[in-house]
Amino acid sequence: MMKQSDNSGVLASEATREATAFRLFTFFGSKSVRSACYQLLLAALLVGFSYWLYSNVVENLHAQRISTGFGFLHQPAQFAIGETLIPYTANDTYTRALVVGFLNTLYVTLCGIVLATLLGFLVGIGRVSRNWLLMKVCVTYVELLRNVPVILHVIFWSMVIRNLPAPRQAIALPGGFLTNRGLTFSVPAAHSGWQWTLLALLAGCVLSLLVSLLARYWRERRSKVLPTARIHLALIIALPLLVWWLSGAPHALNTPELRGFNFRGGFTISPEFTALLLGISLYSSAYIAEIVRAGIQSVPKGQLEAARALSFSSWHIMRYVVIPQAMRVMVPPLASKYVSLAKNSSIAVVIGYPELANISNTMMSQTGQALEAIAIMMVVYLVISGTTSLLMNLFNRYVAIKER
């Protein structure tokens, strides 16, 4: 009896071990569990490699008696910046210098996106034009600009501007002058009326956007088309004009005048900013033109034939048939091109425009804090790229055609 009970206990324990092994095999044999284990292993390896790399860099910096950390950002920068959007002096801190560089980068990026988009859409529409001459001119524009490196574009425009006449022999333009020191033109004189007019223009743009959203809601939900063209004109043009008239209709201008070897008064766009803006904008506009062409050609021809059969004009076909459907194809690659344009602004180091990379290089050479300066640049460009992608994704959801 004792032997029989012992054999039963052994068999029970073996059965238990087999069941446990089977459960473990079933658990780790699952595809989702294996995938999670592989990802955890990869994450651990990446964390370990990053820690080893950081420790190695810190050890080498200490061996060279170079301190680490971001405490130097509170020290005086002791260098001037030629072009700023906010007040700055050489006695300000490195933090403020970086803020100046960030704002300059953001400024040239926004201006570049607007200019490249306008040129790209015009050239892209010309690429599919039935006019043979216009189509060939647009093809030449695209092939010539996009096959030349962007840095050469920037250097080329910098050389062109530097070879313009001096201020005493300036090229006179309507309301301004073009010289080798930039474009100088008249601007409204300081008056509170201009500020209120600008605020009215911004408010009109916001209200116009809300009207567009409301018109789309009515079109999709109630199948009714609202005539928004006149409303847009009233909000964007009539409202600012009304505010301008109510605030006293200021009309005085701050006109540039030649004094000594340069112009005084007005507003001057520096040669560095102009060269950088033209270089990255023209280069990106060639790619945007191809994106627009591909989006337009993706619209089925039956849609165009149906619109013509309904006696739509060419403008209405492009506005209500082609562009809404082409946007679904154009927005994702446009987002990528906008991000590339923002990163291409770092080429300003070549021509001396004081954007983020240029100021960071100066800070790096003065303090020796190379690791921190590069980390700051990486984070800032990552934020700019991420914000651009987020806004374009939101716009993509807006233009997407929603099925009922």
Side-chain angles (χ1 to χ4, degrees), residues 95-367:
T95 301
R96 191 169 184 83
L98 289 174
V99 172
V100 170
F102 169 72
L103 293 178
N104 286 345
T105 299
L106 203 60
Y107 179 50
V108 73
T109 298
L110 293 177
C111 293
I113 287 176
V114 173
L115 182 58
T117 302
L118 292 176
L119 291 175
F121 266 79
L122 291 176
V123 176
I125 294 174
R127 289 276 281 112
V128 295
S129 174
R130 295 183 180 181
N131 187 308
W132 182 87
L133 179 60
L134 177 61
M135 185 265 294
K136 290 299 180 182
V137 170
C138 292
V139 170
T140 304
Y141 176 92
V142 170
E143 296 300 328
L144 179 63
L145 293 184
R146 73 173 183 170
N147 289 309
V148 177
V150 60
I151 190 172
L152 294 183
H153 282 280
V154 175
I155 295 175
F156 169 77
W157 287 108
S158 177
M159 293 175 60
V160 169
I161 296 173
R162 293 297 183 185
N163 286 296
L164 289 174
R168 290 184 177 275
Q169 294 82 32
I171 300 175
L173 299 175
F177 301 92
L178 183 62
T179 68
N180 57 1
R181 299 188 181 183
L183 175 63
T184 304
F185 53 90
S186 302
V187 293
H191 191 282
S192 60
W194 292 115
Q195 299 176 0
W196 287 110
T197 303
L198 179 60
L199 291 176
L201 177 61
L202 295 176
C205 292
V206 173
L207 293 175
S208 178
L209 178 60
L210 294 177
V211 169
S212 298
L213 294 175
L214 180 62
R216 178 172 179 170
Y217 173 80
W218 277 66
R219 185 173 65 251
E220 293 180 351
R221 300 294 181 181
R222 304 188 180 184
S223 300
K224 295 182 179 180
V225 179
L226 295 179
T228 59
R230 295 181 180 179
I231 299 177
H232 291 323
L233 290 176
L235 291 173
I236 298 177
I237 298 178
L239 179 61
L241 287 177
L242 178 62
V243 173
W244 173 77
W245 179 71
L246 292 176
S247 59
H251 58 276
L253 297 177
N254 185 3
T255 306
E257 298 179 358
L258 182 62
R259 296 179 183 176
F261 296 98
N262 203 355
F263 287 97
R264 296 291 184 270
F267 183 80
T268 301
I269 301 178
S270 68
E272 295 81 10
F273 175 83
T274 305
L276 179 63
L277 178 63
L278 290 176
I280 62 178
S281 300
L282 294 177
Y283 177 78
S284 299
S285 67
Y287 285 91
I288 293 177
E290 286 297 280
I291 293 172
V292 173
R293 178 193 61 80
I296 292 175
Q297 291 181 342
S298 69
V299 179
K301 293 183 178 179
Q303 299 280 339
L304 305 180
E305 294 173 356
R308 295 191 186 100
L310 294 173
S311 301
F312 278 26
S313 64
S314 298
W315 162 250
H316 285 91
I317 292 175
M318 184 64 66
R319 172 66 179 84
Y320 294 106
V321 179
V322 176
I323 296 299
Q325 299 184 71
M327 274 296 179
R328 293 179 296 171
V329 179
M330 291 190 293
V331 171
L334 275 178
S336 177
K337 182 48 59 180
Y338 290 160
V339 171
S340 297
L341 187 148
K343 292 184 291 187
N344 285 338
S345 64
S346 60
I347 298 175
V349 176
V350 178
I351 59 174
Y353 178 69
E355 48 78 55
L356 180 65
N358 195 349
I359 292 177
S360 298
N361 287 338
T362 304
M363 180 182 68
M364 195 186 313
S365 63
Q366 287 187 352
T367 63

